[in-house]
Amino acid sequence: MIEDLVVGLAGSGGDGVVSAGESLLAAASAQGFHALMTKSFGSQIRGGESSCRVRLSTRKVLNPGGVLDVAVALNWEDFRRFGAELPVGPETVLIHEAKAGPPPADFAPADRMPREVIGVPLAELAKASAGTDRAKMTVVLGALAGWFGLPRDGLDRGLQKKFAQKGEGLLEANRKALARGVAFAVEHPLISPRTLTLPIRASPKMICDGNEMCASAAIFSGCEFFGGYPITPSTEVMQILARELPRYGGVVLQAEDEISGVGAAVGASFAGKKSMTATSGPGMSLKTEVLGLASLAELPLVLLDVQRGGPSTGIPTKPEQSDLFAAAFSAHGDVLRPVLAPTSVEDTFRVTVEAFNLAERYQTPVMILSDQEIAQRKETVDPIDVSRFELVERIRPTPEQLAAGYQRFSATPSGVSPISHPGMEGGNYLAAGIEHDVRGAPTASGAVHAAMNEKRFRKLAPLQERADLFEIQGAANAPLVLVSWGSSAGVAREAFALARARRLPVKLLVPTLLYPVAEPVFRTFFAGVQAGLVLELSHQGQLYRLLRMFVDVPRGVTSFARSGAQPFRVDEVVQRLAQAAETLR
Amino acid sequence: MNTLLAPNDYKSPLKPIWCPGCGDYGVVQALYRALSAVGRPPHEIAFISGIGCSSRIPGYTTAYGFNTVHGRALPIAQGVKLARPELLVIVAGGDGDGFSIGGGHVPHAIRRNVDLTYLVMDNQVYGLTKGQLSPTSPRGLKTVTSPMGSLEQPINPLLTVLAYGAGFVAQATPADMPGMTALIEEAIRYPGFSFVNIQSPCITFGEEEQQLKAHKARMKPLASLGHDPANQLAALDLARAYGTELYTGVFFRNPSPPPTYDVLVRERQVELQRGEPRPRSRVLDNFPRS
Amino acid sequence: MTPVTGIDFERLSLRDALDLAVLIEEEARDRYLEFAEQLATHDTPEVADFFSRMARIEERHRTELLDRRRTLFGVTPSAVDRRNLFDVEAPEYEAARAFMGIRQALETVLAAEVKAHAFFSEALPRVKDPELRALFQELRDEEVHHQALVKAELARCPEKPDESEAYADDPVAQ
């Protein structure tokens, strides 16, 4: 009996591979499994190679998994185009369209060649049962159900959802195709059978991706304005909000370019509304100047950067974690801007709410660094108890403060000065990107400039004490560490559990708050530490570098980093931890 | 006549950085008077600008001002208006701020037609940075960045804005204070994107023949030519003379202004919010559940 | 292009005419105050002081006229206000210059007085009421008198143009 199954499907765009993956995801979820699905495509808009991975488990799924347990290839060319994204091994059950013939000689190195390879006459079976070879993937789903104990009612419900509206005949036909696939599996049992343990009971779950979760969290947080521009892989956030936000009285503007999008959002914030923009790397670069304006004018703003392969146009469809430097530092001058990073779809809700709260409380732009994997992978998410989230509003001047002669940028002990907005009588002020005094009047005085910089930095000082924005697991005095963020943290968490099971003296740190670097938290964490890894997907190992700027990182803690589109695997992380453990005194 | 809102109620104590003799002094004076005539209190006015000498103007008024970044005043102002449509929104900047770095935003602000008024102080030069070429500088003009004479044709702001379909396009000069005051007031009152190109000369870097004395001699009120502002084609024709003639007055005023973007957005919100109210706390209910 | 709008001179009352005269002086006063402030900010202190003095002179004219108005008509609300005026006696903004000299400043004042004189001269034919005509004539003649004063000061000024500008630093880019 197995508790975890990773299925990889690959074919051409017209085969409905992703659609099948979604059915599998939905079926698994209905049965009570936790599940996660990622997709990957070629560069054509339609009809190019297409693949997906579905991982289902009775336990929470932390990452898309490594080597496939099951690989389904509708043809060899398309499957092989995905290379390291669909890794196979000796234990992989390799299922293929029989017509495609056996795997090519160089399909995998000898030590990674699957031992169990099954050719299924998918087109033939589809034609015979459903009347068309287009129902190939439905046959595959049936076969998977038969071999691995995947839930049939769930799959059936999935078929209903997909085909009921498209004509009664189609539903019936596909039901037959499903049954035929099951029959084939029964007739051709696996050499090494494995059946999924079914979850004890099915609990209701949401199925959504990171972009949907972010958009929903923004609505929850009270966002009233979104200004943005289409850019892969963040566009869905704008699309969802375009449909939903007006229902809550908000406004969505697809602007003429990235700069205009964030500009409009800053204008809306100046007008007193919670506002947001979303983009990816190239847009981040364009928005830089306006972000600086928001920082100088001390205006709240949430900016979601769904990181993708960079630099420049890079690889729009793959994840990477290489915008951290840009998120922290871009915008000339001494600017301090909080940067948060979610680690999963579920986490995106909490992090987005926190971003709005920080933006409002500290009157500053706040960055959310998501990445293409989290943003576009579908995950089952247990219901979120939203009642435990507090929502923060910007502090506004009281009638007394307005009557006494309001100073927008007054020197307060906390550094946060009450903020008025157009429409508020008595609160008139000049907001500007130019340096200003307490009233907002432009100034070139060095003394005033220093005081204002100090104010703008001081107001963020409480972030240094936000231990709640850091996940730490393991014994406090463990000498070996694993640090990771964003989507890589999903791999790190699983590797940590396995390393601990192997008795490695390791502790884990996953920061939600990446910048400013919370020095007290890291100092405590690194005290007495001898070795470890900082795991992240960027050529430079940006978090590692960032930590070393602000914290004494023990010499034995090294960067385990590489360029995006090559996600980490749990086994290689555990191996590196084991190697590091050998250096411990 | 609301005596509580005299022109000086719109004047802030901040001392302008403008050189004595700058055309912008006339512009801001006309603006005080226009705003007094319109009668909205300063706290209901949002005055957005870019970067440049003329972009300093919001700080010299008592309205809520926002000096933003070079070329981006129009998008930021649209965000302000869409977030709080009840505000009176005015945008100001120079010819460089508006038609050079900001040029990409002009067509979209016009076609979107958010209700705001855009005042461009056009002096054919970059004053704040000491006299460089600007997009409206005439061909052949010698400046610090075109020491041998500009090789570029200038942009024609009037023709550009008219061609993009703006519903109110006018030109003014501080050489005619009553005329300019009336035009600014009319532009503010126009429901939709309104544009006033103000020939406001720079006495430090501008050409001698562009100064206000020359304006007084050259300017021709469009009304005196018998121009009908409802005639868009005639307006386009007259606008072609930018640079040669100094026409003042209304080139075009759409006789049937369409509903503005902000009004349409509001109508849609009202429509969508009919029926069952959806509290934001229940937003996660939208997701499919198994 | 008239510097006064919205006023029908043929029907103008004495009270309103006095109010108009008061506002004309007030407008000039405010403009000289603005010039004084601009020039003080732009390092031209001598002429800034000169314009402050001009502002005080205009203020004196204003209060004289206001006293007359109050004697005759009390404090009944005025039917005219500053919105009817556009630089009748106030010098135009373009007249000011950083580093301007006294001669230039005096020429500015002179031009303003000439303008005001022209206004009253042009208005006179339209004014029918004898009391009003008398007032306008008086105001016109006052301007002539002021012009004479200014010309006298100009005569005392050195002929050669002011050289302050030549000593000033180049403009600064911001």
Side-chain angles (χ1 to χ4, degrees), chain B residues 122-172:
Chain B
D122 178 9
N123 59 10
Q124 294 89 44
V125 82
Y126 278 34
L128 192 71
T129 43
K130 270 179 73 175
Q132 295 81 19
L133 205 59
S134 101
T136 51
S137 299
R139 183 142 205 273
L141 184 70
K142 295 197 169 125
T143 68
V144 286
T145 45
S146 57
M148 289 147 319
S150 163
L151 295 173
E152 295 174 24
Q153 285 293 108
I155 200 173
N156 180 334
L158 296 168
L159 204 54
T160 301
V161 173
L162 277 167
Y164 281 126
F168 184 97
V169 180
Q171 181 158 255

Side-chain angles (χ1 to χ4, degrees), chain A residues 4 12 95 151 177 192 216 237 254 304 318 350 368 390 401 446 455 474 489 491 499 511:
Chain A
D4 196 297
S12 318
I95 300 161
S192 24
S216 303
V237 176
Q254 181 192 306
L304 169 70
K318 298 275 189 270
R350 173 186 69 98
I368 304 173
E390 174 211 2
Q401 285 171 326
K455 170 194 197 288
V491 173

Side-chain angles (χ1 to χ4, degrees), chain B residues 192-211:
Chain B
F193 180 93
S194 57
F195 176 73
V196 185
N197 199 52
I198 303 173
Q199 293 294 321
S200 177
C202 174
I203 51 100
T204 303
F205 299 108
E207 292 297 287
E208 188 61 45
E209 57 267 21
Q210 304 285 33
Q211 300 304 317

Side-chain angles (χ1 to χ4, degrees), chain A residues 21 117 126 143 180 196 228 251 344 405 453 480 487 504 549 552 554:
Chain A
V117 180
R180 194 66 195 85
L196 275 168
V251 179
S344 69
N453 265 342
L480 179 65
S487 54
L504 294 180
M549 269 181 80
D552 289 330

